[in-house]
Amino acid sequence: MTDTTINATPTATPELHEDGSQSRLTIDTIRTLSMDAVQRANSGHPGTPMALAPVGYTLWSQFLRYDPAHADWPNRDRFVLSVGHASMLLYSLIHLAGIEEIDAEGNKTGNEAVSLSDIENFRQLGSKTPGHPEYRHTTGVETTTGPLGQGCGNSVGMAIAERWLAARYNKDGFTLFDHDVYTLCGDGDMMEGVSAEAASMAGHLKLSNLCWIYDSNHITIEGGTSLAFDEDVGKRFEAYGWNVIHVDDANDTAALAKALETFKATDDKPTFIIVHSVIGYGSPRAGTAKAHGEPLGEENIKLTKQAYGWPDDKNFYVPDGVAAHFKDMIAGRGGKLRDEWVEMVGKYRDAHPDLGAELDLMLADKLPEGWDAEIPVFPADAKGLASRDSGGKVLNAIVGKVPWLIGGSADLAPSTKTDIKDAGSFEPGNYGGANFHFGIREHAMGSIVNGMTLSHLKGYGSTFFVFLDYMRPPVRLSALMELGAVWVFTHDSIGVGEDGPTHQPIEQMAMMRATPGIDTFRPGDANEVAYAWRAAMENGGTPTVLVLSRQALPTLDREKYASAKGVLKGAYVLADCEGTPDVILIATGSELSLAVEAHDKLTSGGTKARVVSMPSWHRYELQSDAYKESVLPAAVTARVAIEMASEMGWDRYVGMKGRTVTMSSFGASAPLAKLQDKYGFTADNVVAVAKSTLEEN
């Protein structure tokens, strides 16, 4: 492995920056805009943008392949600000680069992505400059960052996506995909475990299109990093298999450029550039924790501007020619490359019409016609299938029509049944493989899948439901970013049995349902699984959680009961009675067949009962009031919800007079049948609870 220190001779004394060049003016414009915005908001992080302005300027002006007029160009380089608290650095770069806004429908608005007015309204309600960069909210922001380490993981997913796209679509004479991914990270990112997981995977995969630039400023909120962090990060990344380069002074733009040139010339490993900076550079608070997360103060800002040789009586000042200089450097390179790319794609469609049509669909986030034609219809079967097994069959029926549906598991594919048959593994030497081996790295898997999905792939990740705890941040962020990622969680309840309470998820369903913008399904048989996967594929701007069982679930007779298509409405009447029911049983997952069994017993005893399958609360709440009333009539107050998970939230559907057969404790280690008896998940107990509820109503 290599560990290189680069020292180039600066063209001017870094402390004074008196050379008067456009480069110097642009760098100090970024610094002063950042200071002024944080001061105006009386909130934010000025120190890191001040320190890293030369890094951002050098990367964007000399290396980043980006067309400000077409911020959605698929082969653009990606810039990820993993240090999301330094958002003013990114907003200043977007503003000065003249990036043009693209709306939610992908249309140009004719507006600046970030105007000077937006910078003046930093962190204010309704502005395009929120406290941390947010994807979809601000054009030019490639991913939502703020939770440290997530941007690092996303960038690995983006680099993986480029390699997969290149392997599938690049042909002789047609290099459609060859972009790079740059990530700006800091000490906090290095301490968070997700970055270590992601870096380990990137090194294993030899992602030479990936460059992390690590701002080593030795300051965190509590003070110096020596309070809790003194490892040799460079040595760690050498061990991961990265090319490690040191730049001793963040102001040394020549050394930065040389380091980035070294990255561009490296073709067998990712690159890690350690840049040593002074947080709050040039201010009286330079090098202290005071420069990190609070405004500098009016007097300190004046002194800092004087140190830069800047007018100290001007706020939000952009000198004449600065924006034009910066934009021209970026657009002059990126605009030409983008135009050449568009012309090449046109010729590609003629030379490779099938792949060209496929590429157009993928980049438009659309599905091919007939994409679901091979999804099986499962016959009635009392023994049935585990929903993880039926899920694997459905997945494999889809991928033949949607080859950009790719993903894998955290070392659990044989258990989660998420292997794509005969598709090969994504590994060095076979970047066209569709099966991803994330290793036992759930957290990185989540953030990597998000990065893949941000690059127009339909990414999925899978593990046991209880291990959602290890990857909660990226699942939440997939909802915040409105990504169509698919999260496949198996071993969904106390049905895990002998593995015991450590592996039996109790609270996870409540947590997923409480998260805005996630479509969480717990399907009750194989045909419900098929429709849940249909929903997942069509959820372009909504992540989908599929919660699947380890144990076999009876495949219900759909000629006797309602069609599983009702899954698409979130809840539907599965089994009914003549007229208005006396009691309604509501169930999900493995408890659906239990509700059907209890329904039959109640019916034979003269009680009018209805079974409602409710695999997705999210979808049900999107339906009309009339539809909801048809499923759960307000007049029927005797209701029982049945689910081998927390009772939290079910009061919304059973009401004040209803009951639940749910879990109010952790489970235990025992065969499933013993656990069902212990916790009341038997038809006889459900019947008893239903009758008791009727008596109380």
Side-chain angles (χ1 to χ4, degrees):
M1 311 301 171
T2 57
D3 186 334
T4 305
T5 299
I6 294 177
N7 291 294
T9 304
T11 56
T13 305
E15 288 75 16
L16 297 177
H17 291 299
E18 292 177 342
D19 62 348
S21 69
Q22 287 284 42
S23 298
R24 269 298 345 283
L25 283 174
T26 308
I27 290 169
D28 286 346
T29 300
I30 294 168
R31 286 170 162 152
T32 55
L33 286 176
S34 299
M35 290 188 297
D36 289 342
V38 171
Q39 189 65 36
R40 170 75 61 87
N42 196 29
S43 173
H45 300 74
T48 300
M50 294 164 66
L52 296 185
V55 177
Y57 172 80
T58 302
L59 173 60
W60 280 50
S61 65
Q62 296 184 45
F63 294 91
L64 197 72
R65 302 192 330 166
Y66 198 96
D67 182 1
H70 300 90
D72 57 352
W73 171 34
N75 200 35
R76 69 190 180 278
D77 286 348
R78 272 41 170 198
F79 174 75
V80 176
L81 186 76
S82 195
V83 283
H85 55 274
S87 56
M88 268 311 307
L89 173 64
L90 180 55
Y91 298 146
S92 298
L93 291 167
I94 292 172
H95 170 64
L96 295 177
I99 293 177
E100 298 179 24
E101 185 180 54
I102 298 173
D103 65 19
E105 284 71 46
N107 302 311
K108 291 187 179 182
T109 67
N111 300 322
E112 293 178 272
V114 173
S115 67
L116 192 59
S117 176
D118 292 320
I119 289 177
E120 291 172 346
N121 285 286
F122 177 57
R123 288 187 168 224
Q124 303 308 299
L125 184 64
S127 79
K128 290 186 287 186
T129 50
H132 295 82
E134 295 179 18
Y135 177 71
R136 294 190 192 275
H137 188 86
T138 310
T139 302
V141 172
E142 299 284 4
T143 182
T144 296
T145 54
L148 288 170
Q150 291 302 316
C152 292
N154 294 163
S155 71
V156 175
M158 293 173 182
I160 284 171
E162 186 280 331
R163 286 291 186 250
W164 188 89
L165 292 167
R168 183 164 185 85
Y169 296 110
N170 288 2
K171 301 296 178 184
D172 288 344
F174 296 98
T175 304
L176 268 58
F177 295 99
D178 61 350
H179 56 269
D180 294 319
V181 181
Y182 298 92
T183 305
L184 203 53
C185 47
D187 291 309
D189 291 294
M190 293 302 104
M191 293 187 218
E192 288 288 359
V194 63
S195 65
E197 293 179 20
S200 174
M201 186 164 186
H204 166 74
L205 293 174
K206 303 184 185 303
L207 298 175
S208 61
N209 58 340
L210 178 64
C211 178
W212 287 6
I213 304 171
Y214 164 39
D215 170 35
S216 178
N217 63 39
H218 303 293
I219 292 294
T220 58
I221 291 174
E222 292 183 355
T225 54
S226 58
L227 290 169
F229 185 65
D230 58 5
E231 67 195 49
D232 188 327
V233 179
K235 294 295 184 185
R236 171 151 65 96
F237 273 73
E238 283 186 64
Y240 290 147
W242 289 56
N243 180 32
V244 178
I245 303 170
H246 291 267
V247 174
D248 284 342
D249 180 5
N251 294 297
D252 191 342
T253 55
L256 289 165
K258 187 175 179 181
L260 291 166
E261 287 165 359
T262 302
F263 157 65
K264 295 290 290 183
T266 301
D267 61 5
D268 61 347
K269 61 185 67 131
T271 293
F272 188 67
I273 302 174
I274 303 174
V275 177
H276 298 277
S277 75
V278 177
I279 194 168
Y281 175 80
S283 79
R285 292 182 172 181
T288 72
K290 283 284 188 180
H292 175 74
E294 61 185 69
L296 295 176
E298 296 288 357
E299 185 58 32
N300 284 331
I301 286 177
K302 283 188 177 183
L303 293 172
T304 306
K305 288 178 179 178
Q306 290 170 10
Y308 294 163
W310 204 256
D312 63 11
D313 59 344
K314 291 185 177 182
N315 296 325
F316 301 100
Y317 175 50
V318 180
D320 292 343
V322 162
H325 157 77
F326 192 54
K327 180 177 181 178
D328 288 349
M329 293 185 74
I330 299 167
R333 178 178 63 256
K336 180 175 181 291
L337 290 169
R338 188 259 174 189
D339 290 344
E340 291 172 351
W341 188 87
V342 170
E343 181 181 357
M344 179 170 53
V345 170
K347 294 177 181 177
Y348 182 88
R349 293 190 186 102
D350 293 333
H352 303 281
D354 290 343
L355 283 174
E358 179 183 300
L359 179 64
D360 288 342
L361 282 171
M362 185 200 67
L363 293 178
D365 297 319
K366 294 181 179 179
L367 294 168
E369 186 174 348
W371 67 270
D372 59 350
E374 296 180 11
I375 292 179
V377 175
F378 296 89
D381 181 358
K383 182 180 178 181
L385 290 167
S387 51
R388 61 171 175 164
D389 287 313
S390 53
K393 292 178 184 297
V394 175
L395 169 63
N396 275 276
I398 296 172
V399 292
K401 301 284 188 179
V402 189
W404 57 92
L405 171 61
I406 60 176
S409 83
D411 196 51
L412 289 171
S415 292
T416 60
K417 309 298 182 183
T418 47
D419 266 338
I420 299 172
K421 308 304 180 193
D422 304 318
S425 296
F426 183 95
E427 287 285 307
N430 183 28
Y431 287 139
N435 288 301
F436 286 78
H437 304 283
F438 292 105
I440 306 165
R441 304 183 183 101
E442 290 89 355
H443 199 167
M445 176 178 71
S447 60
I448 289 169
V449 167
N450 281 345
M452 293 161 62
T453 307
L454 284 160
S455 304
H456 294 287
L457 302 180
K458 187 74 172 180
Y460 69 85
S462 68
T463 186
F464 294 172
F465 198 24
V466 75
F467 299 144
L468 166 64
D469 288 339
Y470 284 113
M471 55 184 292
R472 166 69 175 151
V475 173
R476 178 180 183 270
L477 285 170
S478 71
L480 190 60
M481 290 191 278
E482 300 177 359
L483 300 182
V486 183
W487 308 110
V488 181
F489 296 114
T490 68
H491 296 59
D492 68 341
S493 67
I494 62 170
V496 174
E498 292 87 347
D499 279 340
T502 64
H503 280 54
Q504 294 169 1
I506 300 302
E507 69 277 25
Q508 276 78 354
M509 282 300 300
M511 181 166 59
M512 282 294 87
R513 288 166 174 159
T515 305
I518 291 185
D519 200 358
T520 301
F521 289 89
R522 189 169 182 251
D525 78 346
N527 288 304
E528 286 202 349
V529 170
Y531 276 103
W533 257 113
R534 282 183 170 92
M537 293 302 296
E538 292 172 346
N539 275 344
T542 303
T544 306
V545 168
L546 301 177
V547 182
L548 308 177
S549 72
R550 184 184 75 166
Q551 73 274 28
L553 311 182
T555 304
L556 299 174
D557 184 348
R558 293 295 167 169
E559 292 186 7
K560 179 179 179 181
Y561 302 111
S563 166
K565 189 175 183 178
V567 166
L568 299 179
K569 291 185 178 292
Y572 66 103
V573 178
L574 175 69
D576 214 356
C577 58
E578 293 284 341
T580 303
D582 299 320
V583 63
I584 299 176
L585 308 178
I586 313 170
T588 75
S590 53
E591 292 72 72
L592 187 59
S593 59
L594 177 60
V596 169
E597 186 181 351
H599 167 273
D600 292 346
K601 289 191 174 190
L602 287 165
T603 299
S604 65
T607 300
K608 294 195 294 182
R610 168 180 289 183
V611 174
V612 170
S613 175
M614 198 176 217
S616 171
W617 292 12
H618 173 83
R619 288 216 162 207
Y620 178 70
E621 290 302 328
L622 296 176
Q623 306 310 312
S624 67
D625 289 342
Y627 179 79
K628 292 179 187 177
E629 174 66 17
S630 74
V631 175
L632 296 174
V636 182
T637 56
R639 303 178 183 181
V640 179
I642 312 152
E643 189 172 60
M644 290 197 290
S646 170
E647 63 185 341
M648 184 174 291
W650 276 114
D651 55 332
R652 181 177 195 176
Y653 299 113
V654 300
M656 296 296 290
K657 297 183 178 181
R659 300 272 296 279
T660 69
V661 179
T662 52
M663 294 294 295
S664 57
S665 68
F666 292 110
S669 177
L672 174 57
K674 296 289 186 182
L675 295 173
Q676 288 173 315
D677 287 340
K678 174 178 174 60
Y679 295 109
F681 293 100
T682 64
D684 287 342
N685 184 56
V686 172
V687 167
V689 172
K691 289 181 175 179
S692 173
T693 305
L694 265 173
E695 291 172 2
E696 293 172 1
N697 277 263

